[in-house]
Amino acid sequence: MSAAVAAQATQAFPKAVLFDLDGTLLDSAPDMLAVANLMRAQHGLAPMPLDDLRAHVSKGSRAMLGAAFPHVDASERDGWVQQFLDLYERELGLHGAPFDGVEPMLAALEAAGRPWGIVTNKPEYLARKLMPLLGWETRCAVLIGGDTLAVRKPDPLPLTVAAQHIGIDPADCVYVGDDERDILAARGAGMASVVALWGYRLAEDDPIAWRGDVLIDAPSDLIEAGAWPATR
C-alpha cells in the first residue's frame, strides 16, 4: 500500500469511536449465566442453558432475572437485582471474553490515532473493575456507566458527555452497539451509529428497523476503515 493510500485509509476512520460494552465489545453472557445458575441453585432449580439467557444480556439484570425466573412475579424479582449484581462482581471476567475480532479492531483504531471509549448501562463500578481484567484500563479514553449520570441510554446525554470528555464533537464520533437503545442514543446525540449484529438480540428484535447508519456482521469487519459510516 502506498503512503498516499495508507493516509487516505487512516482518514476514513472516525475521529473517535464509542462502544457499548456487553454484547458489543465483550461476550459477557457466560459470566451472566454463572450468576443466573448460582441463583437458580439457591432456589432449587436446575441450571439453565446459555442460549436461554444470551439474548437477554443487553437488556440488563432485570431482563436476565426474568429469563432465569419466568415463574416469579416481576416485583419480587426486582428485589433480587442487588444480589444478582453482587454475585456478578464475584464472577466478573471469569468466563467471558472480548468477541473474536475486537482486539484487532481496537488496535486498528489505535494505530490510526483514533481514541475509543465505552458508554454502557452497566453500573460504572462494575465496568471499571473489568477494564484491568481486559487490559483496557489505559487504552479506553472514557468510560460512562449506567449510573454515572442521572440518565442512561437511550437518553443521548451519556454519549454527549463522553464526547466532551475526549474533546471530540459528537458529529465526528461513531457509536457502536447491539441494542435499539444504543442506536436511539446515538441518533439523539447526533452521532453516526453502527449496529453490532454479532451481539445479543431477542428473536423479535429487528435491527434493520432501528435505522442505524450501517449494520456490521463481525468486529473484524471494522478493521477496514471504509466499513465505518461517514461522519460530518
Side-chain angles (χ1 to χ4, degrees), residues 31-207:
D31 287 350
M32 303 299 187
L33 180 69
V35 174
N37 282 335
L38 282 170
M39 294 185 68
R40 283 175 62 87
Q42 291 172 2
H43 291 269
L45 299 174
M48 67 187 297
L50 180 60
D51 285 349
D52 288 355
L53 185 71
R54 188 176 185 85
H56 301 271
V57 171
S58 285
K59 308 296 184 186
S61 53
R62 285 177 173 78
M64 287 184 277
L65 284 166
F69 299 94
H71 58 288
V72 176
D73 186 81
S75 60
E76 183 176 355
R77 293 196 307 260
D78 283 349
W80 299 354
V81 168
Q82 190 58 52
Q83 183 191 8
F84 186 96
L85 295 175
D86 291 344
L87 287 172
Y88 174 60
E89 188 173 5
R90 270 177 33 192
E91 301 296 321
L92 201 68
L94 296 181
H95 314 278
F99 285 101
D100 288 345
V102 161
E103 284 295 348
M105 180 261 293
L106 294 178
L109 289 172
E110 291 166 350
R114 301 321 202 219
W116 62 270
I118 293 170
V119 180
T120 174
N121 277 357
K122 181 192 291 294
E124 182 182 341
Y125 77 98
L126 291 172
R128 290 204 178 277
K129 288 193 74 168
L130 270 169
M131 294 299 102
L133 302 178
L134 298 166
W136 294 349
E137 70 273 25
T138 61
R139 297 168 63 191
C140 178
V142 60
L143 192 157
I144 303 291
D147 54 357
T148 304
L149 305 171
V151 294
R152 61 177 63 192
K153 300 176 296 181
D155 193 288
L157 184 62
L159 275 66
T160 59
V161 168
Q164 290 167 2
H165 181 88
I166 57 178
I168 304 292
D169 192 285
D172 293 321
C173 298
V174 173
Y175 188 63
V176 185
D178 69 310
D179 189 85
E180 185 176 17
R181 291 170 299 178
D182 299 326
I183 308 308
L184 291 171
R187 189 176 303 124
M191 290 185 190
S193 60
V194 171
V195 178
L197 294 176
W198 63 85
Y200 307 136
R201 293 194 308 279
L202 299 173
E204 60 267 27
D205 286 339
D206 178 8

Side-chain angles (χ1 to χ4, degrees), residues 206-223:
D206 178 8
I208 295 174
W210 303 346
R211 296 187 295 115
D213 290 290
V214 297
L215 287 77
I216 299 293
D217 289 321
S220 57
D221 295 340
L222 293 171
I223 295 172

